[in-house]
Amino acid sequence: RKEVEQDPGPFNVPEGATVAFNCTYSNSASQSFFWYRQDCRKEPKLLMSVYSSGNEDGRFTAQLNRASQYISLLIRDSKLSDSATYLCVAQTGANNLFFGTGTRLTVIP
Amino acid sequence: DADVTQTPRNRITKTGKRIMLECSQTKGHDRMYWYRQDPGLGLRLIYYSFDVKDINKGEISDGYSVSRQAQAKFSLSLESAIPNQTALYFCATSDPPAQYFGPGTRLTVL
């Protein structure tokens, strides 16, 4: 079983829509969680950390549910520039980061 | 200028050849990593280093070796490349918990 699992998509949404991605992790000892964004043929870049109480950064909201072992990312008012692949990451211990395979989002004009 | 650079950006080689991928960073971070990315498999950790004298195997270290020549430099070697090492390779540095990735090296082994 993979450490981190994501729906690969693709998610095709119109501009202005709200879209949500979920990600599940298998190791209950995972301590820290992140969402990274990766544009086509580019390197991943940190989008946001995910805190237990949930956190928001502009149009992006991240949530963590430890009981069910999943994290989510909500994007409101989608922009064309949000089109990318979103990687879910779970960290266990000092250095064990496990990346999901990514969820692809395309925002359509 | 980019904080994390990788050379070469693209490389095509033949089975059995020795290949070195180089990574340099100007972020001043102690921690450096090498990952490979394959379609459908996500990013997987090959090796990591917490300082110049520290080298650690990651999830998929077989067939690879690394050298941490200085705080700013971390190189990945494939002693005898094989076709299933064809992948996109990323170097990263860390200022925990965030990781900062280089632009990647696309390696093709024929």
Side-chain angles (χ1 to χ4, degrees):
Chain A
R1 186 182 169 189
K2 288 183 182 175
E3 291 276 344
V4 175
E5 300 214 47
Q6 296 182 249
D7 179 347
F11 285 65
N12 299 317
V13 302
E15 259 185 300
T18 295
V19 62
F21 310 133
N22 284 336
C23 158
T24 57
Y25 60 95
S26 60
N27 190 339
S28 59
S30 297
Q31 304 149 314
S32 303
F33 306 91
F34 312 92
W35 283 101
Y36 279 73
R37 170 196 169 125
Q38 186 173 23
D39 292 293
C40 189
R41 296 181 172 272
K42 296 286 182 75
E43 71 273 24
K45 293 185 179 178
L46 179 65
L47 179 66
M48 58 197 302
S49 301
V50 186
Y51 302 122
S52 297
S53 54
N55 48 299
E56 194 172 299
D57 183 1
R59 298 181 292 108
F60 298 83
T61 300
Q63 298 271 355
L64 167 63
N65 184 318
R66 286 193 183 273
S68 301
Q69 295 185 204
Y70 78 82
I71 69 172
S72 63
L73 178 68
L74 181 80
I75 306 175
R76 288 182 299 279
D77 188 23
S78 299
K79 311 290 185 194
L80 296 177
S81 57
D82 293 334
S83 296
T85 296
Y86 291 83
L87 309 177
C88 170
V89 183
Q91 181 174 359
T92 306
N95 194 63
N96 293 326
L97 265 70
F98 295 96
F99 287 79
T101 54
T103 297
R104 197 160 129 216
L105 171 67
T106 301
V107 181
I108 304 162
Chain B
D1 285 343
D3 296 318
V4 184
T5 57
Q6 292 183 234
T7 56
R9 295 293 312 279
N10 289 282
R11 182 73 185 266
I12 300 173
T13 190
K14 294 183 178 178
T15 297
K17 293 290 188 183
R18 184 177 188 274
I19 297 295
M20 181 180 285
L21 309 183
E22 312 245 16
C23 176
S24 294
Q25 55 116 345
T26 58
K27 298 185 80 69
H29 295 162
D30 289 323
R31 300 185 180 194
M32 297 187 74
Y33 308 78
W34 275 104
Y35 292 90
R36 66 177 277 177
Q37 188 174 37
D38 299 272
L41 292 177
L43 280 157
R44 291 180 293 165
L45 183 63
I46 305 172
Y47 271 97
Y48 63 98
S49 168
F50 283 179
D51 67 38
V52 174
K53 291 184 169 64
D54 179 73
I55 300 289
N56 304 282
K57 292 183 177 180
E59 182 186 352
I60 52 160
S61 58
D62 287 349
Y64 302 94
S65 62
V66 291
S67 174
R68 184 82 184 267
Q69 304 95 319
Q71 188 205 37
K73 295 186 184 297
F74 192 35
S75 58
L76 175 72
S77 293
L78 289 67
E79 295 301 325
S80 179
I82 57 176
N84 78 359
Q85 291 178 313
T86 293
L88 183 55
Y89 288 84
F90 287 105
C91 172
T93 71
S94 175
D95 181 17
Q99 295 212 342
Y100 301 89
F101 288 83
T105 294
R106 189 166 293 279
L107 177 65
T108 303
V109 183
L110 301 176

